[in-house]
Amino acid sequence: MKFGILINEGPFTHQASDTAYHFTKAALEKGHDVPRVFFYYDGVNNANKLSEPQADDRNLVKLWGDLAAEKNVDLVVCVAAGMRRGIKDENLADGFRISGLGQLVEAGMGCDRLMMFGD
Amino acid sequence: MAEYEFDTEGVKKTFTFMNRKAPYGTVYALEVLETVLISAAFEQHANIVFADDGVYQLKAGHDTADIGMKNFSPTFGIIEMEKEDADEDEDIDMNWRIIVEKESMEARGLTEDDFKVDVEVIAAAELADIIDASDCVIGG
């Protein structure tokens, strides 16, 4: 099955991005496709390369980036939501790209399921 | 960075946008509307649903001056216009519905007359079927 993923929360205040990450990883391991993960609302903060969690905590920004590199997942950050929150090319982490909301609608149109993670 | 190309040629799906949050206090209400408007560019069917405190989003007469927030309620006029265009123009294959959940509306002492745009008032049980029948549910 082809899954599109929508992440609506940042990497720390909520667990949504963690759950989405584990879902995405599990789906890929089971042989499903996850062509695109879209980051919206505070979810854009998952792409902030200046994020520096403590050494004994997980680093979601890096985990997403590594997963994207390893499994060829398209990580898209909403340009409008990102600009408001200061997520721009200057501080965009490896593995992410910035684009428009149309990329979310396309994922909904092109995937069998669109999974939303957030409150 | 692996840009993925979806083949969306001729794809027509039904998106349900769930608006469950009050208009101010969190950003969800404002940002979900941006997604609704973008979906029009792809000529997709849409149920734009207001439930829980989300019903307050549609209330006429928002005045945000004292809280210093942007009043985004004019956006609902744009959404209503998109819907009317789609309803009237035979060349646009796009069915949009603006739906208010009956129980949420009544629990907050609101009636259809309080809203800025024309809505369909639908009971929760029937709304569940509408959500079930849609292809994508996007919340805010």
Side-chain angles (χ1 to χ4, degrees), chain B residues 30-66:
Chain B
L30 182 145
E31 288 195 305
V32 81
L33 291 182
E34 295 182 357
T35 319
V36 174
L37 291 172
I38 293 288
S39 76
F42 291 84
E43 231 177 89
Q44 301 297 296
H45 302 315
N47 304 311
I48 306 146
V49 178
F50 299 85
D52 300 338
D53 279 350
V55 297
Y56 288 124
Q57 292 180 30
L58 289 177
K59 203 166 175 296
H62 287 193
D63 179 357
T64 58
D66 286 347

Side-chain angles (χ1 to χ4, degrees), chain A residues 2 6 8-9 14 35-36 40-41 72-74 80-81 84-85 95-97 101-112 114 116 119, chain B residues 1-8 11-13 15 20-21 27-35 38-39 42 44 70 135-140:
Chain A
K2 201 180 272 190
L6 167 62
N8 290 348
E9 301 294 346
H14 298 256
R36 179 170 296 158
Y40 196 43
Y41 305 100
N72 220 21
V73 182
D74 190 11
R84 291 181 181 122
R85 293 165 177 88
F96 294 82
R97 66 188 179 91
L101 268 172
Q103 304 269 308
L104 168 62
V105 177
E106 266 185 16
M109 292 167 71
C111 292
D112 301 306
L114 181 68
M116 187 183 81
D119 279 7
Chain B
M1 188 180 338
E3 187 165 343
Y4 188 89
E5 294 276 341
F6 285 102
D7 181 13
T8 53
V11 174
K12 184 74 68 178
K13 288 198 174 181
F15 285 71
R20 297 184 298 111
K21 303 279 207 304
V27 78
Y28 298 101
L30 182 145
E31 288 195 305
V32 81
L33 291 182
E34 295 182 357
T35 319
I38 293 288
S39 76
F42 291 84
Q44 301 297 296
K70 174 176 166 176
D135 300 296
C136 293
V137 181
I138 292 180

Side-chain angles (χ1 to χ4, degrees), chain A residues 60-71:
Chain A
L60 264 178
V61 176
K62 186 171 181 311
L63 286 172
W64 276 117
D66 290 349
L67 189 68
E70 192 189 328
K71 302 283 190 182

Side-chain angles (χ1 to χ4, degrees), chain B residues 53-124:
Chain B
D53 279 350
V55 297
Y56 288 124
Q57 292 180 30
L58 289 177
K59 203 166 175 296
H62 287 193
D63 179 357
T64 58
D66 286 347
I67 56 169
M69 302 292 288
K70 174 176 166 176
N71 180 349
F72 65 88
S73 66
T75 312
F76 293 113
I78 301 170
I79 285 173
E80 190 177 43
M81 227 164 56
E82 289 277 5
K83 175 185 154 47
E84 284 168 0
D85 284 352
D87 289 346
E88 285 161 16
D89 189 338
E90 284 175 10
D91 292 334
I92 304 176
D93 175 22
M94 188 173 92
N95 181 28
W96 275 21
R97 300 174 68 180
I98 305 175
I99 296 169
V100 168
E101 193 210 51
K102 187 169 183 283
E103 289 84 345
S104 300
M105 179 184 84
E106 289 177 353
R108 287 160 184 79
L110 298 171
T111 70
E112 271 185 79
D113 297 336
D114 293 312
F115 297 136
K116 194 181 156 65
V117 296
D118 289 337
V119 301
E120 296 177 60
V121 177
I122 290 179

